[in-house]
Amino acid sequence: MHNPFKWSALALLGLLAHSSDAANVSMLGHDDVGISSFISAGNWDNGAAPSAGNDYFTGPFRLRSPATTLNYTFAGDSLTVHTSEGRLFGKSIAAPVSPGQVLTINNLILNGGYVDQSGWSWLTLMGNIEVIAESSFGASSSDTLEVMSVISGSAPLNISGPTINSGQDTGAVILSAANPYSGTMTLCANTPANSEKGLLRLNHRDALASATLNTISSTLVALSFSAGVNTGAFNIGALTGTGNMMLSDTVGMPVLLSVGGKGSSTTYSGSLVGSGGLTKVGSGTLRLLGANSNNRGDTAVEGGILSLTVPHLYDESTVSIAGGAVLQLDFAETDTVGGLVLGGNAQPDGVYSSGNSGGFITGAGSLLVKTVAAGNDSSSTPAPPVDSPYRSTRAWRAYDGGSAPRTSGFFDVPFMAVRTWNSAGALRIAGRRRTAGIYYSADDAAVVGIAAKALRDDVQRVTGLLPRVSTRAPAAAEAILIGTIGESPLIDGLIAAGKLDVSAIEGKWEAYTAVVVKHPMRGVRRALIIAGSDRRGTAFGVFGLSESMGVSPWYWWGDVAVKPKSALYIRGSHTQASPAVKYRGIFLNDEDWGLQPWAAQTFEPEVGNIGPKTYATIYELLLRLHSNMIWPAMHEWPVMTTPFYLVPGNKIMADKYGIVISTSHHEPMHRNSHEYDESLLGSYSYWSNWDTVYHFWDERVEETADCENIYTVGMRGRTDAGMLAPSGTTDAQKTEKLQNAIIPDQRKMLSEHVNSNASEMPQIFIPYKETLVQYQAGLQLPDDVTILWPDDNHGYIRQLSNASERARSGGSGLYYHLSYWGVPASYLWFCSTPPAMTRSEMLKAWDFEARNIWLVNVGDLKPAEIGTEFFLRMARNPEAFRNFDQHDYFTQWAARTFDAWHAEAIAEVLDGYFSLNIVKRPEHLTSEGESGFSLVSNGDEAQKRLDKFASLAALADTIYRRLSAEQKPSFYEMVLYPVRASYKVNQRALLAERSRMWAEQKRAATATLAAEVQAAHDAVMAEVQFYNEVNAGGKWNLTLNPMPELAGWARETQNPFLMPEVGSYSPPAAAALGVAIEGSAAVVESGVPGELPVFNRAADSNRFIDIFNQGTAAMRWTAVASAPWVVLSETCGAADARITVSINWRRAPRGNAVLGNVTVAAAGAELTVSLVVYHPENLDLANLPDAVEDNKVVVIEAEDFVARSDRSDGAGWRRVDKATASQDGMAIVPVTAPSVDPASIPTDAPSLTYKFYAFTTGPVQIFTQCLPTHKTTSAHVGVRYAISLNGDSPIVVDVNAEEYTAAWNVNTLRAASVGVSDHKITAPGSQTIEVWMVDASVVLDKLTVQLFLGTYMYEAEELTVHDKSTDVQVTNYVDAPASAGGGVHIQSTKASQFGTFVLPNVQAGDYEIIIRVKKWTSRGIMQLAVAETPTGLFTNIGDEQDLYSTTGGYSDLEAIPVKFVSDGPKYLRFTATGKNPSASNYWILFDTIFMSTVTVDPPSGP
């Protein structure tokens, strides 16, 4: 028989050696999916399964192992894997734990091929392996190949590598036998998928005792050592290569590496790191070139020569050299060690070299022996006590124990008024070509001098006059004297002289006092004294004066124009209490497309990153906003921000400005986690590499000990992910590690380097994402650590402190987002969270005593100026925002920032901007899919939205034209750009969506509309260019720096700059009439009248009809109404048109279903649109409530209640201004009110009453839209309200959605959670809804009453599981393409398993049911069945459905008829009945259930 490959000479030798009497059987082709020649005839050229007496050869083909969980023995005498393409492909599907599937091959010959495993599993090889030509082992990323076979031979053997499985083998190969193999085993350069297992794991200490290990992987975790066999030295015959090794086992214990048994000489240029030791044995030389060789452990030379080229022995390690062995020091320096043993004898302290070591040491280097006395090693020597100047021994109280300042406006300047005219007792700051001198003490904090010079510059900005700043004794008739109590000799002298009373602020936090006094000291006639209780208090006082003079905090970062004044005078006094929240600051984050490129290329190119020059401007802004802390920028990809502490000057600049540095939730102990290089340092794991991680943190704590810091404690993953831990580690175990190891170690660092009593230093723990779960699992934090509660990344607070947590001395704070990159969708380019919504959540935080820290993620800072200032102003005095009106706030902001003339109009623009964009943030309008705004319903929601945007943009444009040239840059940055750009982003997305619909409708104008989409896209990019290159003279170039070329998971971050898909249609030449109507995207067909939604007299409805040409030739059309009371906005035309249909109610006949129609004619065709008018007799319009049924729907805004009832303690519903998606809402005040026991409703529960009018009876659903808040504390059950219609029993509804669930995904994207309750209207007329408080966290937005339409739509994940097979799991899953972001997974693994779901409140009748499922290769065959009672008989409906598909995706199954004979809940059962032969499992995944009545009565109501 012809062999399909040529025999190599080596293969023939192997054949002769192993098969002299046996038949040779070869493969003819690859084993494909479902075929295994391992146990079957498969592809063998003899047509039979392997058997004894034959030798088998793969040739260049793939031999698959059986894809099962069973164990197998190869029946042939031998199996030879041939050539570089020959492959033994393990396809075990056993559990991914040892031993998995076991394959026994008694004589496996590797003759150039490779063996690997790929099946999300574990494969174990047993028997014998001989390597006779260069071959390879590997495993894919989720797999393990354990080799218990004894390996022999001397040919090269590769582990993973780019030539194996196209470089995809990043799983683990485990060697578990003592092998006589003497060849070179190369550990290739792939990065292991599992850092605990590595690429190669030694599970026997003699696995490589006779081999040469050549490692070229720079990843420390590429080679790992099993803890279970770490009872002595791991023996390696010889060591070479460039890769690095971590000398610790899989649980972090030290490993002793014994190298050299082969007796050969090798050079190893990688690094040995960790706490393990190295022993050189055998003859020959081992030359180590690595810079960190044998970093932490002992070194022994028992044979041959060990050559070290770098002096990096661990200072406390012991070096031992046996007789006849040599340590060769090939460096010129002296290396320090903790002990030296020569020939078995310990040596005293001293310096040892080739000259005095008796031949044990050679080379140019030397060893300095410094023995550490027993009992006095570094770990037991107590550190000298250290005291930090920034320690605090008292718990924080709001306003530092004082009272909230009284304010009359949101922008009250915290200083005396500065006027342009003189008055009695006033100090002239500047005017008439003279200025007051500015004086401060040189001994004071650096920030005081910075503030003094900034004040000088501000005076010049306002008046053109430049004051003198001096640290000498004041020598001016009029002076401004600045300083800090206890730090400034100038201020302390005035206090001692009785010229200054500081009793109101002394000892307080960041307080200040200012007063104009006469003759404060010799030579000074009048002075303004500004004294701070501390260094920042002084700076705040100075910048308060600047603001009073008319210099905006945003004069630089927002280009706010300074209005010139001829003179500045001040009189009187002002004392500013401590701020309400102790630490108030910002997080610069996701700076890849703004702050980083702007700083690196435009503002600070000399650093090429975000450096001290950039930070100085940010620190000044913070001080002007009376803020004090920052989490510095730290992002790594797609643009690398150099970690803060690695840029010279960053830390120093922060200290100069008095800014407190802290770090984010995955940067503990001031270490940017991107500084941690796992390829050099090993796994970022406190399980397997704790000593390296400890040292990594400890270094930074020591480096920053002299600065004012807030230390982040705890641990997350290196890349904003969960903590790295061994597979199978539970949350409880992670909690234990945090509580008993990580946090105690971190506090030890503080005690050693910063302050002897760590509890006196500010520390934060941030229960962010998965860390909240660990905290909830029982983590007990030190009492003094502040809990920094996070929101859910989208502006809704995840959790606040319960009563016991509020009693902790460390208190709590809040980490909030105005910008975010992450699930379910990012928002990075526009600040679109309404201040009123922020106020609602932050006031809740304040009331639950989160008062130690308020920190806000501001992204790139620009364009989040408005949101940033709002947050930081509120942090200074939340009580000033208790009674909040957003429009008033914007009006005051605009008057301060621009002028009073335009303030009202600017406020109107900003109100509209935030109102439109919170419903759908611009970034959430994707280049694919639908917007969520209907093109055909509710009068064309999409067009209404665009009309509002157009009006808003027009008003903003008008204001811009009327502003002065100096005001325009600021207005453009903070108002006009966000409005214009968000308008054009919306226009592009909605018109693109419309163009796709037009293409389906075959509109000839599709291409014209597509061109408008392109024009909108070009307009967005033009705005970006203007912002960068033209506005403010190009000052902010690259602040907007999109990367539309990004692909994969990061692409969605670029949504505002991605051109969407547009519709395409090639029309014929001949004209053709097309008509589409409101309520449907379908084109009206000839002979089948279109049906407009009902015209309702009470709602004064009107509808639209679209008339369009489907060809390119000219077309004239006419539209004729069937009766004069049917009014058309147009009756003829020659262009496409949308005509409005309305009713002349005075002329329209009375009746519940008055019929009419409109006939449209053109191009030889006539199409008819029918209409139904609801115009009943005796309808009393004057007495109808505002909320009236229209097309089976009633919408009521939450604030439009008709009655309100408070609880006896005064708790009740109150209007919250513009805090919800539909603007105003209703919230419980106080938010701290205890929850109501549902059993006690309606007794003493705060309530709201609503009225509406219904014409239709029958079942209704009430959709109660709320702000998507979370359970307030761990003590709260949910986010619940109770609701009743017409006095029926109150129904308790919980709208809480756990973070990262499908419901939460939907809620965050629409800024609303929606509760659904089922009711019934028994008679037409006035109806009454009552809503009661259950939990005070509910914020009502609006109520939508949906009367029965003959259809039911159920989201799978919202259904209740009635019952299921005991051995099956039924879970919700999250998936963006699903209709509401998720569905239900019935994890059936065999036939007959089922899950049953409740379909609530179904009316009797005949229906068609359509199930939307997600098909894939793991899906089974299912049967649907229904029952009308919980215990009733289930009846199969429809045929079995095979859900198997190789292409996957969502699809609707064919409609299935079903009949229900009674009203009430129904029960739908999904049963797995089998699976396709090609399917891998029996799973059932479904997304939605749609049920519609087969026949619908003619309409008789609205």
Side-chain angles (χ1 to χ4, degrees):
M1 179 176 288
H2 173 69
N3 284 315
F5 58 93
K6 294 181 179 179
W7 300 102
S8 68
L10 197 56
L12 289 172
L13 289 173
L15 172 64
L16 293 173
H18 296 284
S19 305
S20 58
D21 299 319
N24 300 324
V25 184
S26 302
M27 293 186 75
L28 296 174
H30 290 301
D31 281 355
D32 293 322
V33 176
I35 298 174
S36 173
S37 299
F38 196 87
I39 57 172
S40 68
N43 286 296
W44 298 118
D45 61 12
N46 67 352
S51 61
N54 296 323
D55 293 314
Y56 292 83
F57 301 85
T58 65
F61 298 117
R62 176 178 59 244
L63 169 61
R64 284 177 174 259
S65 74
T68 71
T69 61
L70 303 178
N71 301 331
Y72 298 92
T73 297
F74 188 74
D77 288 358
S78 69
L79 173 63
T80 300
V81 182
H82 268 284
T83 78
S84 61
E85 296 179 3
R87 181 180 187 184
L88 174 57
F89 192 25
K91 294 302 292 181
S92 164
I93 59 170
V97 293
S98 181
Q101 183 186 68
V102 178
L103 298 183
T104 301
I105 308 174
N106 290 320
N107 194 4
L108 175 61
I109 303 166
L110 300 185
N111 187 22
Y114 64 102
V115 180
D116 68 340
Q117 158 64 20
S118 177
W120 296 73
S121 185
W122 191 297
L123 177 68
T124 296
L125 292 180
M126 298 191 72
N128 295 282
I129 300 174
E130 183 176 6
V131 186
I132 64 174
E134 183 172 355
S135 303
S136 303
F137 283 145
S140 64
S141 62
S142 301
D143 291 87
T144 301
L145 174 65
E146 183 172 6
V147 184
M148 299 183 72
S149 309
V150 175
I151 307 172
S152 62
S154 59
L157 186 58
N158 300 317
I159 306 297
S160 300
T163 63
I164 306 171
N165 195 21
S166 301
Q168 299 303 305
D169 277 359
T170 58
V173 175
I174 299 178
L175 303 183
S176 298
N179 298 311
Y181 172 72
S182 60
T184 296
M185 183 175 290
T186 298
L187 182 54
C188 298
N190 288 3
T191 299
N194 184 306
S195 60
E196 182 185 351
K197 296 178 182 176
L199 291 173
L200 175 64
R201 179 165 149 190
L202 302 186
N203 197 37
H204 196 290
R205 291 188 290 110
D206 290 326
L208 296 178
S210 301
T212 297
L213 175 62
N214 174 34
T215 174
I216 60 174
S217 174
S218 62
T219 303
L220 281 170
V221 293
L223 176 66
S224 67
F225 304 88
S226 291
V229 299
N230 188 14
T231 57
F234 283 83
N235 299 306
I236 296 179
L239 179 64
T240 186
T242 60
N244 305 318
M245 262 191 272
M246 172 65 73
L247 298 185
S248 57
D249 66 19
T250 49
V251 296
M253 297 304 293
V255 162
L256 176 60
L257 196 65
S258 176
V259 179
K262 288 183 73 171
S264 57
S265 294
T266 59
T267 297
Y268 174 63
S269 58
S271 294
L272 301 176
V273 300
S275 53
L278 172 67
T279 298
K280 166 66 176 71
V281 298
S283 59
T285 299
L286 173 60
R287 183 173 173 82
L288 300 183
L289 304 182
N292 295 299
S293 297
N294 201 20
N295 189 30
R296 305 295 293 275
D298 295 338
T299 301
V301 189
E302 296 183 357
I305 300 172
L306 175 62
S307 168
L308 304 180
T309 60
V310 181
H312 273 250
L313 292 170
Y314 186 44
D315 288 357
E316 296 176 12
S317 68
T318 297
V319 174
S320 301
I321 310 171
V326 173
L327 175 64
Q328 183 168 312
L329 304 179
D330 289 327
F331 49 79
E333 300 89 344
T334 298
D335 201 359
T336 301
V337 294
L340 179 63
V341 178
L342 302 179
N345 299 310
Q347 304 300 308
D349 288 5
V351 177
Y352 295 83
S353 65
S354 60
N356 64 349
S357 64
F360 285 98
I361 299 175
T362 63
S366 59
L367 297 181
L368 169 63
V369 179
K370 294 178 65 175
T371 307
V372 179
N376 288 306
D377 62 13
S378 60
S379 62
S380 60
T381 302
V386 290
D387 292 318
S388 170
Y390 305 112
R391 67 186 187 277
S392 175
T393 57
R394 59 193 178 99
W396 174 255
R397 291 188 299 162
Y399 304 102
D400 204 3
S403 300
R406 294 184 177 181
T407 60
S408 58
F410 299 114
F411 291 88
D412 288 357
V413 176
F415 212 80
M416 301 96 82
V418 175
R419 308 187 187 280
T420 56
W421 63 89
N422 198 359
S423 58
L427 170 82
R428 178 177 58 189
I429 298 172
R432 297 184 180 179
R433 294 187 293 179
R434 299 178 65 86
T435 63
I438 301 172
Y439 296 90
Y440 69 98
S441 295
D443 295 336
D444 212 335
V447 69
V448 174
I450 289 171
K453 293 167 186 172
L455 177 62
R456 172 198 63 195
D457 297 340
D458 288 343
V459 171
Q460 186 181 38
R461 288 185 181 98
V462 177
T463 67
L465 302 173
L466 185 66
R468 177 172 178 260
V469 177
S470 176
T471 56
R472 296 183 178 181
E478 294 182 301
I480 300 173
L481 311 178
I482 300 169
T484 306
I485 300 168
E487 301 292 334
S488 167
L490 174 63
I491 295 300
D492 292 347
L494 293 169
I495 296 170
K499 299 294 184 178
L500 179 63
D501 179 6
V502 294
S503 58
I505 67 166
E506 193 166 15
K508 295 291 185 180
W509 177 264
E510 298 179 347
Y512 57 90
T513 190
V515 60
V516 175
V517 298
K518 293 175 62 176
H519 306 297
M521 58 179 60
R522 179 175 297 180
V524 179
R525 180 171 56 85
R526 182 173 280 113
L528 167 61
I529 305 172
I530 303 174
S533 62
D534 52 31
R535 58 176 178 165
R536 280 189 297 273
T538 305
F540 292 164
V542 173
F543 287 124
L545 171 58
S546 288
E547 192 172 355
S548 188
M549 293 183 331
V551 179
S552 166
W554 297 93
Y555 82 93
W556 198 87
W557 268 96
D559 294 310
V560 176
V562 176
K563 298 171 186 174
K565 299 176 182 177
S566 59
L568 300 172
Y569 293 89
I570 192 167
R571 56 179 293 179
S573 64
H574 177 86
T575 296
Q576 185 65 29
S578 301
V581 176
K582 186 173 186 180
Y583 295 104
R584 309 160 308 282
I586 64 174
F587 180 20
L588 302 170
N589 192 215
D590 303 318
E591 64 278 5
D592 311 77
W593 306 293
L595 182 62
Q596 198 282 341
W598 170 79
Q601 300 178 55
T602 303
F603 186 65
E604 202 169 3
E606 64 275 15
V607 171
N609 222 290
I610 306 174
K613 180 181 172 183
T614 301
Y615 275 114
T617 66
I618 296 171
Y619 298 154
E620 181 184 323
L621 172 67
L622 290 175
L623 292 175
R624 288 179 182 269
L625 291 171
H626 293 221
S627 300
N628 58 11
M629 75 170 289
I630 193 171
W631 282 359
M634 43 65 69
H635 226 237
E636 182 181 29
W637 187 88
V639 178
M640 176 68 176
T641 294
T642 302
F644 179 82
Y645 287 105
L646 300 188
V647 178
N650 277 357
K651 180 185 77 165
I652 295 170
M653 193 63 71
D655 188 59
K656 285 182 177 180
Y657 276 81
I659 295 299
V660 182
I661 301 297
S662 184
T663 47
S664 74
H665 44 80
H666 67 103
E667 300 176 276
M669 310 312 288
H670 281 246
R671 268 293 196 180
N672 184 318
S673 53
H674 302 140
E675 297 179 54
Y676 193 94
D677 187 343
E678 289 185 300
S679 68
L680 295 176
L681 301 176
S683 172
Y684 189 61
S685 168
Y686 225 67
W687 272 265
S688 61
N689 197 20
W690 71 268
D691 53 344
T692 303
V693 176
Y694 183 101
H695 181 67
F696 175 72
W697 291 338
D698 189 64
E699 267 188 339
R700 180 56 46 76
V701 173
E702 184 175 11
E703 175 190 339
T704 60
D706 58 343
C707 298
E708 188 173 5
N709 303 312
I710 300 173
Y711 296 93
T712 298
V713 299
M715 187 177 189
R716 298 186 67 230
R718 197 186 69 80
T719 56
D720 195 8
M723 185 196 311
L724 190 62
S727 177
T729 305
T730 65
D731 283 321
Q733 290 169 324
K734 292 176 182 178
T735 296
E736 189 274 337
K737 179 68 77 172
L738 283 167
Q739 181 170 313
N740 298 327
I742 294 172
I743 294 176
D745 280 355
Q746 291 168 335
R747 287 166 70 84
K748 177 185 175 185
M749 299 169 199
L750 296 178
S751 297
E752 290 179 348
H753 302 305
V754 183
N755 195 70
S756 298
N757 184 350
S759 69
E760 295 176 347
M761 299 310 300
Q763 299 153 65
I764 54 175
F765 175 81
I766 309 143
Y768 183 73
K769 292 185 177 178
E770 80 294 333
T771 317
L772 177 60
V773 177
Q774 292 155 18
Y775 177 78
Q776 292 169 336
L779 175 64
Q780 297 297 309
L781 293 170
D783 194 69
D784 57 277
V785 172
T786 297
I787 302 173
L788 190 63
W789 298 109
D791 66 357
D792 64 359
N793 302 308
H794 296 268
Y796 311 106
I797 296 172
R798 191 68 188 82
Q799 184 173 314
L800 292 167
S801 298
N802 59 31
S804 62
E805 290 162 338
R806 292 196 293 274
R808 298 174 64 259
S809 63
S812 67
L814 205 288
Y815 168 42
Y816 193 78
H817 285 77
L818 293 174
S819 174
Y820 180 61
W821 180 356
V823 297
S826 308
Y827 58 106
L828 300 163
W829 300 94
F830 298 87
C831 185
S832 52
T833 301
M837 190 176 287
T838 300
R839 174 262 179 200
S840 178
E841 288 293 276
M842 294 311 299
L843 198 59
K844 177 169 64 178
W846 171 254
D847 287 342
F848 275 86
E849 300 180 21
R851 300 175 177 182
N852 277 29
I853 301 175
W854 281 17
L855 186 87
V856 60
N857 186 321
V858 299
D860 295 296
L861 185 55
K862 296 180 75 69
E865 300 95 336
I866 292 175
T868 300
E869 178 166 10
F870 178 84
F871 183 92
L872 295 177
R873 279 192 174 273
M874 190 174 176
R876 287 154 61 178
N877 186 12
E879 291 297 340
F881 293 76
R882 183 70 67 182
N883 299 310
F884 182 70
D885 184 295
Q886 182 174 279
H887 188 82
D888 284 351
Y889 178 86
F890 284 147
T891 302
Q892 293 177 35
W893 176 84
R896 182 210 68 175
T897 306
F898 303 105
D899 54 55
W901 294 100
H902 300 100
E904 186 67 32
I906 293 172
E908 182 181 341
V909 169
L910 290 173
D911 272 336
Y913 167 82
F914 284 105
S915 174
L916 286 168
N917 284 310
I918 193 57
V919 174
K920 189 83 168 184
R921 298 186 194 266
E923 297 93 335
H924 297 168
L925 290 163
T926 65
S927 59
E928 304 169 357
E930 298 179 354
S931 65
F933 301 104
S934 175
L935 304 170
V936 298
S937 300
N938 301 321
D940 191 342
E941 292 173 348
Q943 190 57 50
K944 287 181 177 179
R945 180 173 176 82
L946 291 181
D947 290 345
K948 290 178 181 178
F949 263 116
S951 177
L952 206 63
L955 178 56
D957 286 340
T958 299
I959 297 168
Y960 181 71
R961 288 193 299 270
R962 293 175 178 174
L963 290 173
S964 67
E966 293 77 17
Q967 294 173 321
K968 284 182 176 179
S970 178
F971 184 81
Y972 183 81
E973 293 160 29
M974 294 194 279
V975 181
L976 187 57
Y977 169 78
V979 170
R980 278 185 182 171
S982 60
Y983 168 36
K984 290 301 175 182
V985 167
N986 273 265
Q987 186 182 48
R988 180 186 61 198
L990 297 180
L991 293 187
E993 191 174 337
R994 192 180 299 279
S995 77
R996 297 192 292 269
M997 181 184 75
W998 279 20
E1000 292 291 325
Q1001 295 173 335
K1002 299 182 178 179
R1003 299 200 191 198
T1006 299
T1008 302
L1009 188 59
E1012 291 183 41
V1013 176
Q1014 183 65 56
H1017 177 73
D1018 294 343
V1020 172
M1021 304 313 293
E1023 293 295 338
V1024 170
Q1025 184 178 16
F1026 185 87
Y1027 189 111
N1028 284 333
E1029 300 175 12
V1030 179
N1031 189 66
K1035 173 181 175 180
W1036 301 109
N1037 193 23
L1038 300 180
T1039 295
L1040 300 175
N1041 190 40
M1043 292 183 181
E1045 68 275 10
L1046 277 181
W1049 60 271
R1051 184 169 174 78
E1052 63 92 25
T1053 62
Q1054 306 300 305
N1055 278 340
F1057 311 105
L1058 300 178
M1059 177 65 185
E1061 180 185 354
V1062 295
S1064 177
Y1065 170 62
S1066 299
L1073 173 64
V1075 171
I1077 61 173
E1078 182 170 350
S1080 175
V1083 175
V1084 175
E1085 297 179 13
S1086 178
V1088 183
E1091 297 181 7
L1092 284 169
V1094 173
F1095 290 79
N1096 180 6
R1097 176 64 186 95
D1100 195 16
S1101 310
N1102 57 56
R1103 311 296 178 198
F1104 67 78
I1105 298 174
D1106 282 352
I1107 303 170
F1108 49 89
N1109 193 347
Q1110 295 180 323
T1112 59
M1115 182 187 81
R1116 293 194 60 83
W1117 57 265
T1118 60
V1120 179
S1122 62
W1125 46 268
V1126 179
V1127 181
L1128 305 180
S1129 61
E1130 297 178 63
T1131 57
C1132 63
D1136 291 1
R1138 169 168 289 181
I1139 64 174
T1140 302
V1141 183
S1142 57
I1143 304 300
N1144 183 333
W1145 296 107
R1146 291 185 177 182
R1147 302 181 63 181
R1150 296 278 181 166
N1152 289 352
V1154 180
L1155 302 179
N1157 64 65
V1158 176
T1159 301
V1160 181
E1166 279 192 356
L1167 298 174
T1168 302
V1169 177
S1170 63
L1171 53 91
V1172 177
V1173 176
Y1174 183 71
H1175 192 201
E1177 299 283 353
N1178 304 318
L1179 182 63
D1180 186 0
L1181 294 175
N1183 291 318
L1184 288 179
D1186 291 337
V1188 178
E1189 176 190 348
D1190 185 24
N1191 271 282
K1192 307 293 185 183
V1193 174
V1194 182
V1195 179
I1196 309 171
E1197 293 296 332
E1199 64 273 19
D1200 292 338
F1201 56 88
V1202 297
R1204 186 186 75 203
S1205 176
D1206 292 349
R1207 197 160 64 183
S1208 57
D1209 61 2
W1213 297 97
R1214 299 293 184 270
R1215 187 182 72 85
V1216 283
D1217 182 75
K1218 295 182 177 61
T1220 66
S1222 67
Q1223 300 204 20
D1224 295 350
M1226 297 297 294
I1228 292 294
V1229 175
V1231 72
T1232 54
S1235 297
V1236 175
D1237 181 356
S1240 68
I1241 293 172
T1243 305
D1244 204 27
S1247 67
L1248 294 170
T1249 302
Y1250 299 90
K1251 294 284 188 181
F1252 71 94
Y1253 196 93
F1255 303 101
T1256 308
T1257 60
V1260 300
Q1261 286 186 314
I1262 301 179
F1263 298 84
T1264 303
Q1265 181 167 307
C1266 308
L1267 201 64
T1269 53
H1270 298 273
K1271 292 186 293 186
T1272 307
T1273 74
S1274 60
H1276 286 79
V1277 174
V1279 183
R1280 300 168 298 168
Y1281 65 91
I1283 189 167
S1284 168
L1285 177 62
N1286 297 327
D1288 61 8
S1289 297
I1291 299 171
V1292 176
V1293 181
D1294 190 351
V1295 294
N1296 183 64
E1298 293 297 327
E1299 200 170 11
Y1300 305 116
T1301 62
W1304 173 82
N1305 283 351
V1306 174
N1307 291 350
T1308 57
L1309 296 181
R1310 66 187 177 187
S1313 56
V1314 180
V1316 183
S1317 54
D1318 292 285
H1319 310 268
K1320 194 167 189 176
I1321 294 176
T1322 57
S1326 180
Q1327 318 292 326
T1328 301
I1329 298 174
E1330 286 187 276
V1331 179
W1332 291 273
M1333 165 201 156
V1334 179
D1335 297 308
S1337 52
V1338 173
V1339 181
L1340 297 176
D1341 186 352
K1342 66 180 178 181
L1343 293 84
T1344 302
V1345 183
Q1346 178 68 68
L1347 290 92
F1348 184 55
L1349 294 172
T1351 61
Y1352 298 94
M1353 172 74 174
Y1354 302 104
E1355 290 293 342
E1357 62 273 21
E1358 295 177 0
L1359 294 174
T1360 301
V1361 178
H1362 173 62
D1363 65 0
K1364 64 181 181 64
S1365 301
T1366 56
D1367 54 350
V1368 72
Q1369 293 290 322
V1370 178
T1371 61
N1372 291 350
Y1373 68 88
V1374 175
D1375 189 21
S1379 69
V1384 165
H1385 182 187
I1386 303 172
Q1387 298 176 3
S1388 38
T1389 56
K1390 61 184 179 181
S1392 78
Q1393 290 180 330
F1394 67 87
T1396 309
F1397 300 85
V1398 181
L1399 307 182
N1401 300 306
V1402 177
Q1403 296 295 293
D1406 293 308
Y1407 294 90
E1408 285 187 337
I1409 187 168
I1410 298 174
I1411 312 292
R1412 187 175 190 238
V1413 298
K1414 187 176 187 182
K1415 296 186 174 184
W1416 189 230
T1417 57
S1418 57
R1419 309 303 190 257
I1421 299 171
M1422 75 167 187
Q1423 175 68 57
L1424 293 175
V1426 296
E1428 298 218 35
T1429 63
T1431 58
L1433 178 67
F1434 278 87
T1435 303
N1436 286 346
I1437 59 172
D1439 298 327
E1440 289 183 339
Q1441 302 281 345
D1442 188 349
L1443 307 184
Y1444 173 84
S1445 170
T1446 57
T1447 56
Y1450 290 92
S1451 61
D1452 291 335
L1453 301 180
E1454 290 186 6
I1456 302 171
V1458 61
K1459 181 181 181 68
F1460 298 119
V1461 297
S1462 62
D1463 295 348
K1466 309 303 171 192
Y1467 302 87
L1468 180 64
R1469 175 168 292 177
F1470 295 73
T1471 302
T1473 57
K1475 72 179 184 71
N1476 187 295
S1478 298
S1480 60
N1481 221 317
Y1482 295 78
W1483 290 351
I1484 300 169
L1485 282 78
F1486 71 101
D1487 180 12
T1488 60
I1489 299 171
F1490 181 76
M1491 211 160 57
S1492 61
T1493 53
V1494 175
T1495 59
V1496 179
D1497 294 334
S1500 60

